[in-house]
Amino acid sequence: MTTRTTGPGTGPGARTASASHGPAVRLGIDIGGTKTAVAVLDERNRFLARTTAATPAAEGAAAVVGRVRELAVRALAEPAAAGARLTAIGVGTAGVVAPDGRTIASATEALPGWAGTPLAALLEEALGAPTSLLGDVQAFLAGELAAGAARGARSAVAVMAGTGIGGAIALDGTVVRGSRGAAGHLGHVPVAEAEGHRCPCGAMGHVEAVASGPAMTALLRRDAAHTDVQDLREVGAAAADGNAAARAVLRRGGRALGAALAGVVSTLDPDVVVLAGGVLHAGPWYEEAARAELTARTLPLLRGTRLVRAGLGADAVLLGAASHSGATPYDGFASPTDPISPAVR
């Protein structure tokens, strides 16, 4: 590989997509509030190399972008990837990605200063290959469509239930972004189970207010006076020990999610709904309640909709981001006149 000497992509360690005559590879990148992972994949979606490190979220967007670049250079230097020709970069990131697949439209405080970051342009400058972005759950669904539990489906819904309730939808085999990039945000569907409860987004009555791990932990502490319960793992342990209040909290969260899914399934009539996230490790009560509520609230014709667990684990976002990397129109490398926030330049 050679380094650019002029034009975009001249940062330290930058690589060019055309300088090598080796086999074509793509990068899949997963940026979360606590962890960032980068993988090198070949044209058959086989993993050649991967590397992971903590996300320096508290240091701001510039530090996060720098960490991504550092990990990418490291992964591309691995023996299985050395000498390959980098042709595209796909990113699955926390936050909402703008519809053009190039900028972070909004983000929570898990990544301070992330909103507004022109991430695609910055990575094109740093690494020298066309880049497209998806939200992390959108990338997760793209991965499950490519090689996981939703493989072969034309329409699908994904739900990631953990510290929040994330979602994504796909129609005609393609992940849908929405007019503002927020399509599939199932955690913010209003449901009766959440009436009177404030969602982390600030609104009242959203499913995330009672169905996420932190929400269920807080409900058990408040409603059942289990003040010693610290996280969802401990909620699950209490439920496994026969604690009726813990089981009730998990069932309530599952019912809320099932009600939200019933509305989505009735609207989209998908081939499959894919479930993932930490709540599935808290015992059977949450998932059983979600399945029962989904069945009870949908038309008989739709009760055969498959509800399955994800098949790829942590690889789904990396694979989905990489497999989607050529799906967004690309108009060339970022030019010096492209608007880049001073905070991340």
Side-chain angles (χ1 to χ4, degrees), residues 1-3 15-25 81-87 128:
M1 292 283 180
T2 61
T3 302
R15 299 161 57 99
T16 173
S18 58
S20 171
H21 298 291
V25 297
R85 177 168 47 92
L86 180 61
T87 61

Side-chain angles (χ1 to χ4, degrees), residues 37 76 86 162 206 210 242 254 284 301 327:
L76 288 163
L86 180 61
H206 290 180
V210 295
L301 180 65

Side-chain angles (χ1 to χ4, degrees), residues 194-301:
E195 282 292 325
H197 294 274
R198 186 175 299 279
C199 180
C201 75
M204 300 295 289
H206 290 180
V207 62
E208 187 170 305
V210 295
S212 70
M216 291 187 291
T217 303
L219 286 170
L220 185 60
R221 284 201 300 259
R222 189 192 74 181
D223 296 346
H226 285 266
T227 55
D228 57 334
V229 173
Q230 298 299 312
D231 54 30
L232 181 64
R233 180 185 59 80
E234 294 185 9
V235 175
D241 287 340
N243 186 290
R247 292 183 179 185
V249 163
L250 291 169
R251 289 191 181 107
R252 179 179 184 175
R255 287 196 304 270
L257 181 63
L261 284 175
V264 175
V265 166
S266 296
T267 301
L268 298 178
D269 186 14
D271 294 321
V272 63
V273 177
V274 182
L275 290 177
V279 299
L280 300 182
H281 303 300
W285 303 280
Y286 185 99
E287 185 176 351
E288 287 175 352
R291 290 178 180 275
E293 196 74 4
L294 174 59
T295 298
R297 288 179 176 267
T298 50
L299 292 168
L301 180 65

Side-chain angles (χ1 to χ4, degrees), residues 95-185:
V96 176
V97 173
D100 63 2
R102 299 190 57 76
T103 303
I104 308 301
S106 69
T108 69
E109 285 307 303
L111 283 171
W114 198 229
T117 303
L119 183 58
L122 293 172
L123 292 180
E124 287 161 1
E125 183 179 7
L127 298 169
T131 301
S132 63
L133 317 178
L134 286 171
D136 49 6
V137 185
Q138 293 172 337
F140 161 78
L141 178 55
E144 292 291 334
L145 284 166
R151 187 171 186 175
R154 297 300 299 167
S155 59
V157 175
V159 180
M160 185 77 73
T163 55
I165 304 293
I169 58 176
L171 299 175
D172 293 328
T174 301
V175 174
V176 176
R177 295 181 183 273
S179 64
R180 296 171 183 82
H185 262 51

